[in-house]
Amino acid sequence: MQVFRSLDEFKKARKDLHSVSSIGLVPTMGALHAGHASLAEKAVAENPYTIATIFVNPTQFGPNEDLDKYPRTLEADLKLLDDIGVSVVLAPNVAEIYGDGRSLVSFQIKEMDRKLCGATRPGHFNGVVQIVSILFNLAQPDKAYFGEKDFQQLMIIRRMIQELHFPLEAVGCPIVREEDGLAMSSRNLYLKPDERKQALFLNKALQEIRKDFHQFRNKEEVLERVHERMKDYPLVKLDYFDVLEAHDLSEIEDFQQAKQAHLFVAAFLGKTRLIDNMSLS
Ligand code: AMP
């Protein structure tokens, strides 16, 4: 496995790959776990050549978020990717990607940005599409692999690919969970033992609402139940719980008719913000 820190060297190596039939791309922020590994495994299985990137992208973090303390575990990450059979890792520093940081072009996501993480993390998805389009330009993949854990992100990236005519396909990969159901996340490393236990609220709430979905007539009733359940988890501070149409994140007019409803949750355990989601079907 080759590891590049320099973009110039990476670009040279990328030019030599013109005869490769299919290139897979796995963008990550590092601190890799089995969720990331599942993306890399799928990419390696589906493409003769896989590029993984490790880059903690500053432009997708808000001013009071965890950019500075985001876990960085490069050595272990490289070993995991090497063991899976990834061909190349690109792990540039911030200056390599953004120069002096004064960019001329800015990205602005509309519509989908007003919901869920877009609403509670202003500017987050602008930063996500900025870095993902830079990585698409650098790696020029045929397929790029993203986790359904970040469901809204995957939808926005698919739209971006369509609108900007990137000649590639975004492949969605199912959420990988801990044995007790907690969705794997690099941020789980922040959790204190009591927070870790109560973090189960996210998955439990999704499961309970899914199981009883036919009982609810509207979102208010869903939220009532969610708040009722939160009483058992005093360390949980809810960021949002929402039920939306899966294909475009629009509101659902009639719960009884909903076929493609999808459940979304975000919550804080102390300072750690976690997300999860689940399909109703
Ligand atoms: P991150 O390093 O958090 O930016 O995540 C990199 C990629 O891994 C994104 O496409 C995430 O959706 C995906 N990912 C993170 N956690 C999981 C998980 N538990 N299951 C599946 N994919 C995941």
Side-chain angles (χ1 to χ4, degrees):
M1 185 176 80
Q2 279 180 293
V3 180
F4 293 96
R5 309 284 284 175
S6 142
L7 289 190
D8 281 344
E9 283 170 26
F10 174 80
K11 285 179 194 168
K12 269 186 226 139
R14 176 63 189 84
K15 278 216 169 94
D16 294 337
L17 294 177
H18 44 78
S19 59
V20 174
S21 61
S22 173
I23 293 177
L25 173 68
V26 182
T28 81
M29 297 206 299
L32 304 183
H33 49 67
H36 300 107
S38 73
L39 271 55
E41 280 159 7
K42 196 165 167 60
V44 167
E46 293 183 356
N47 304 275
Y49 203 92
T50 291
I51 300 169
T53 62
I54 298 176
F55 182 65
V56 183
N57 175 38
T59 69
Q60 70 189 69
F61 286 77
N64 299 315
E65 294 185 349
D66 56 343
L67 173 62
D68 291 339
K69 68 170 185 143
Y70 197 83
R72 286 154 170 97
T73 58
L74 187 63
E75 294 260 305
D77 294 350
L78 294 178
K79 173 156 187 352
L80 179 139
L81 295 169
D82 195 15
D83 288 349
I84 290 171
V86 164
S87 322
V88 160
V89 174
L90 174 62
N93 65 29
V94 174
E96 281 278 319
I97 295 285
Y98 291 121
D100 64 7
R102 291 185 302 168
S103 46
L104 176 72
V105 179
S106 73
F107 292 75
Q108 203 191 351
I109 300 297
K110 295 180 238 166
E111 295 165 44
M112 284 189 199
D113 201 31
R114 296 191 198 115
K115 307 247 159 96
L116 308 174
C117 295
T120 61
R121 298 183 71 187
H124 168 67
F125 287 119
N126 298 342
V128 169
V129 296
Q130 178 181 29
I131 188 60
V132 170
S133 49
I134 289 170
L135 296 175
F136 284 173
N137 285 330
L138 288 167
Q140 299 166 50
D142 298 284
K143 291 180 174 187
Y145 295 79
F146 297 94
E148 288 173 358
K149 155 106 186 315
D150 298 275
F151 193 90
Q152 185 179 18
Q153 168 176 285
L154 174 58
M155 297 202 56
I156 287 173
I157 288 169
R158 285 202 165 120
R159 261 296 277 281
M160 176 186 84
I161 288 172
Q162 201 188 345
E163 282 185 20
L164 299 185
H165 301 278
F166 279 108
L168 64 100
E169 177 197 348
V171 180
C173 305
I175 301 176
V176 177
R177 298 179 178 283
E178 302 285 356
E179 242 172 58
D180 62 3
L182 178 67
M184 286 196 181
S185 164
S186 305
R187 292 190 168 96
N188 292 351
L189 292 172
Y190 299 146
L191 297 172
K192 297 182 187 132
D194 50 351
E195 293 170 345
R196 170 64 185 81
K197 279 190 201 134
Q198 297 205 11
L200 266 193
F201 163 79
L202 286 90
N203 183 246
K204 291 267 192 261
L206 291 171
Q207 288 200 38
E208 180 172 332
I209 299 300
R210 179 168 70 169
K211 178 169 72 61
D212 292 343
F213 195 70
H214 60 279
Q215 296 175 12
F216 303 115
R217 280 169 301 177
N218 52 45
K219 212 182 269 188
E220 286 66 41
E221 291 184 5
V222 170
L223 289 178
E224 226 170 87
R225 175 74 74 83
V226 169
H227 285 284
E228 186 60 33
R229 187 55 56 244
M230 271 175 61
K231 290 182 187 153
D232 305 333
Y233 298 87
L235 297 181
V236 169
K237 193 168 154 276
L238 193 66
D239 188 21
Y240 61 73
F241 192 102
D242 215 338
V243 188
L244 297 168
E245 280 289 354
H247 65 284
D248 61 357
L249 303 186
S250 60
E251 296 296 326
I252 297 172
E253 298 301 330
D254 182 350
F255 264 38
Q256 304 309 320
Q257 300 299 318
K259 286 202 181 80
Q260 289 275 316
H262 204 95
L263 307 175
F264 299 88
V265 63
F268 286 92
L269 279 300
K271 289 192 176 133
T272 307
R273 184 177 175 281
L274 301 177
I275 58 172
D276 201 348
N277 68 86
M278 198 171 275
S279 164
L280 270 192
S281 49

